[in-house]
Amino acid sequence: MPIHFEHYRGNEKFVKRIYDLIDLMERRRRIVVTPFFAPDECNICDAILGHQIPYRKSGGYQGAERCRYALLPYEDELADLKITILKATYSPQFGKLAHPDVLGAILNLGIEREKIGDLIVKDNEFIIFVDEEIENYIVCNLTRIKRSNVHFKRYEGEVTYEPKIRYEHKIVSSLRLDVLVSSFANISRKKAQELIRAGLVKVNHVILEETSYLCNNNSAISIRGHGRFHFKEIVKTTKKDHLVILAGKYQ
């Protein structure tokens, strides 16, 4: 397959990696399973594979953001994506554990990020989706996070998850990215522009450095240091031509 780097500026290295995996699959005529890819990488992979290369894609549950792929020599082949689900509970007496606490503890074991899929934290439990090769390593070595003792076990059940988002109405002058970042993070527009230009803001998992970018309904906006937000829709326009929008922060 010819490589069209011009469509993926800034992601040439990742694009080449995908084409190398396709080449490996075609030369050896065997299934090739990828690591877990981040959401923006999944978008690129979907675009490259399209309808030309048979593949299976999964993150271990419906709606997963981080997924891995099985590239197939033949359309009707069954593929094992080698995803193991691990679940742990803990006592919150020493404080609640958040997503960064759990992910940081895993990475501190020397495990590469692409060996891990989504990580779901809720109440006093968390679930992680991992490459089956590192299952035993995590079970044996990750027994404490901060001050809490944890014990991971393989989970065979079906995982369903809907993120919690606290919505509210906001009034903004436009749908420019810097305007929305300013409103969501409760910072000045100048500071919002600085964050965007520094590459600290993502829209739908893609870093955007254009402050005047116009966001669409149902956009996920991540602001480093301030959290992740969902711009759902425009509700109405005020008499002064401002916009009333429905937006929320992921909890």
Side-chain angles (χ1 to χ4, degrees), residues 113-153:
R113 183 64 180 95
E114 61 182 23
K115 290 285 187 180
I116 310 162
D118 284 3
L119 194 164
I120 298 172
V121 179
K122 54 182 180 180
D123 301 324
N124 65 330
E125 68 177 29
F126 35 86
I127 298 171
I128 57 175
F129 300 82
V130 304
D131 186 319
E132 67 176 23
E133 293 180 352
I134 63 172
E135 172 189 354
N136 291 336
Y137 185 75
I138 289 179
V139 170
C140 294
N141 292 280
L142 188 54
T143 57
R144 191 176 182 84
I145 300 177
K146 299 182 81 171
R147 298 176 61 194
S148 298
N149 293 322
V150 299
H151 178 58
F152 280 98
K153 292 183 179 179

Side-chain angles (χ1 to χ4, degrees), residues 8-109:
Y8 308 102
R9 296 192 187 281
N11 296 286
E12 290 86 355
K13 185 175 180 180
F14 178 75
V15 171
K16 185 177 185 306
R17 183 182 185 187
I18 298 302
Y19 278 99
D20 286 344
L21 291 173
I22 293 172
D23 181 64
L24 178 65
M25 178 273 293
E26 291 180 335
R27 282 190 292 107
R28 299 188 178 180
R29 306 309 296 173
R30 67 174 178 81
I31 297 172
V32 172
V33 178
T34 74
F36 286 97
F37 291 149
D40 55 329
E41 295 173 331
C42 287
N43 290 337
I44 295 173
C45 196
D46 289 339
I48 292 174
L49 298 177
H51 301 292
Q52 302 181 66
I53 303 295
Y55 69 93
R56 301 289 180 268
K57 171 187 177 183
S58 177
Y61 72 104
Q62 186 70 31
E65 293 190 345
R66 299 182 64 90
C67 297
R68 64 191 317 187
Y69 292 73
L71 309 184
L72 311 176
Y74 307 102
E75 177 68 44
D76 57 351
E77 280 197 88
L78 297 177
D80 180 3
L81 285 144
K82 305 182 186 303
I83 298 174
T84 295
I85 306 173
L86 295 178
K87 183 177 182 179
T89 59
Y90 72 96
S91 172
Q93 62 178 315
F94 297 118
K96 292 188 70 66
L97 295 175
H99 188 284
D101 301 322
V102 183
L103 180 59
I106 296 172
L107 298 180
N108 283 339
L109 294 176

